[in-house]
Amino acid sequence: DMRQDYDSSIHLFPVIEPFDSGYFEQDMHKIYYEQIGNPEGKVILFLHGGPGAGCSSAHRRLFDPEKFRVIFFDQRGSGRSKPYASIEKNTTQHLISDINYLREKLKIEKWILFGGSWGSTLALAYAIENPVFVSALILRGVFLGTNAEINWYLYEMRRFFPEAYDRFISYIPEEEQHDILSAYHKRLTSDDQKIRNQAAKFFASYENSCATLHAETRDAGQSALSMAVLEAHYFMNNCFLPSDYIAKNVRYIQQLPCYIVQGRHDVICPPSNAYKLHKIWGKNSKLRLVDDAGHSAFEHGTLRNLMLFLQTV
């Protein structure tokens, strides 16, 4: 019964296995990558979110395996990469250099960058430094890596998800709640594995509970530790980007086509950021605001629009 794959116009592609996968070593990290689809196809680099979320086989189903050669990799500390949840030598600049290493290793001249949430931040930061290697960007749930967005996430999201926020801060003693990030960071980098795991569960389930239009208490599952540890690490360091870095440097990439899909009710990464990026970008940017979607890539309207953009690149 194929019906589960359809939503009037959505047809996800079947789950396929990679035609190539392996590890490459950088610093003390072993970084996992895989390739799916047509080895002669248009090249797409998929950048996962988090930081720390890792790639999942569900993401493979977005891409037409006859048209595209899609490269996935688990960023340092994420997914199948080792050491798991490690923050050592783990910065935006390290990830950008990993991407270039992979590009050279796989002999790719240019690729389309496909990223959602933190993946959109990384795609933009990579493209600004390496515009010559990028042919287009497809972004979802835009996050520009600014302090304002980090503070929104840590303090303001409670206006929409008060019960999820209550759970989120309940783990932190009241006298530390004025600086929720430092309080979590301290626990997530604790030497006590039990404290780390417990803090991670609270930290990661906050985001997962706020990611879809229909709120539900969601456990982040096996990626909870890497997501919590890496998000806290990146947020504590302003995503390792100078203030307002992306907005100030869009001019270096605005000659490239940019396709943005944004849930209008995305509370984690509010649509004002996607709209701001779209306005700065100018005529080569296309923005689809999806009225019946939140932050997740897997809500119907978001999926449909991502797949429509993939047909046009």
Side-chain angles (χ1 to χ4, degrees), residues 177-195:
Q177 287 177 7
H178 65 283
D179 187 351
I180 203 89
L181 183 55
S182 295
Y184 263 109
H185 184 261
K186 190 169 87 183
R187 289 160 177 82
L188 289 164
T189 52
S190 159
D191 292 336
D192 184 331
Q193 183 75 45
K194 201 170 146 211
I195 291 174

Side-chain angles (χ1 to χ4, degrees), residues 8-284:
S8 61
S9 62
I10 294 183
H11 178 236
L12 287 171
F13 294 96
V15 178
I16 54 169
E17 289 307 304
F19 66 79
D20 170 44
S21 66
Y23 286 87
F24 62 95
E25 295 194 28
Q26 293 287 79
D27 300 316
M28 27 72 77
H29 291 272
K30 280 186 72 177
I31 297 154
Y32 174 82
Y33 73 94
E34 62 186 32
Q35 303 189 70
I36 65 154
N38 176 1
E40 303 301 314
K42 264 191 179 166
V43 186
I44 293 182
L45 175 68
F46 179 94
L47 296 170
H48 69 68
C55 298
S56 88
S57 57
H59 291 129
R60 298 177 194 158
R61 303 189 62 190
L62 288 163
F63 303 99
D64 181 340
E66 288 177 17
K67 180 178 176 181
F68 296 116
R69 169 188 178 189
V70 192
I71 297 157
F72 294 81
F73 85 108
D74 288 335
Q75 296 155 33
R76 295 184 182 208
S78 311
R80 288 148 290 190
S81 292
K82 303 173 175 106
Y84 176 67
S86 165
I87 57 176
E88 205 176 315
K89 292 209 158 95
N90 197 334
T91 69
T92 305
Q93 290 67 40
H94 284 108
L95 302 183
I96 289 172
S97 94
D98 293 344
I99 295 170
N100 269 333
Y101 182 89
L102 191 55
R103 187 186 59 73
E104 287 168 11
K105 177 182 166 65
L106 301 177
K107 300 183 172 50
I108 287 151
E109 275 174 47
K110 274 185 195 277
W111 44 16
I112 296 160
L113 304 180
F114 184 106
S117 196
W118 160 254
S120 75
T121 325
L122 185 56
L124 290 159
Y126 174 83
I128 286 165
E129 277 195 29
N130 303 276
V132 61
F133 304 133
V134 179
S135 52
L137 295 92
I138 301 177
L139 308 176
R140 171 202 56 86
V142 168
F143 177 62
L144 300 175
T146 62
N147 274 351
E149 289 164 292
I150 292 168
N151 284 331
W152 165 268
Y153 179 82
L154 292 167
Y155 298 103
E156 305 297 324
M157 244 163 58
R158 63 178 151 202
R159 299 181 197 188
F160 291 87
F161 291 99
E163 70 284 56
Y165 191 79
D166 249 10
R167 271 195 312 278
F168 175 53
I169 62 168
S170 69
Y171 179 67
I172 301 298
E174 210 164 310
E175 63 273 14
E176 290 182 70
Q177 287 177 7
H178 65 283
D179 187 351
I180 203 89
L181 183 55
S182 295
Y184 263 109
H185 184 261
K186 190 169 87 183
R187 289 160 177 82
L188 289 164
T189 52
S190 159
D191 292 336
D192 184 331
Q193 183 75 45
K194 201 170 146 211
I195 291 174
R196 276 212 308 277
N197 289 344
Q198 205 176 17
K201 212 173 129 185
F202 277 91
F203 194 96
S205 84
Y206 173 49
E207 178 171 343
N208 280 359
S209 302
C210 305
T212 49
L213 207 50
H214 301 286
E216 46 190 294
T217 307
R218 288 163 175 258
D219 188 7
Q222 64 196 40
S223 65
L225 185 66
S226 58
M227 269 179 74
V229 169
L230 292 176
E231 281 181 21
H233 168 64
Y234 274 72
F235 290 175
M236 284 290 283
N237 291 284
N238 304 317
C239 296
F240 300 95
L241 295 170
S243 175
D244 221 12
Y245 175 77
I246 290 169
K248 285 177 180 164
N249 290 284
V250 168
R251 63 181 185 277
Y252 296 114
I253 50 175
Q254 66 193 138
Q255 74 284 4
L256 299 170
C258 181
Y259 304 90
I260 305 168
V261 179
Q262 179 71 41
R264 186 176 296 283
H265 302 282
D266 184 342
V267 173
I268 292 173
C269 297
S272 52
N273 303 308
Y275 190 73
K276 175 183 175 177
L277 179 68
H278 168 67
K279 293 299 276 188
I280 301 171
W281 204 289
K283 64 181 194 307
N284 291 323

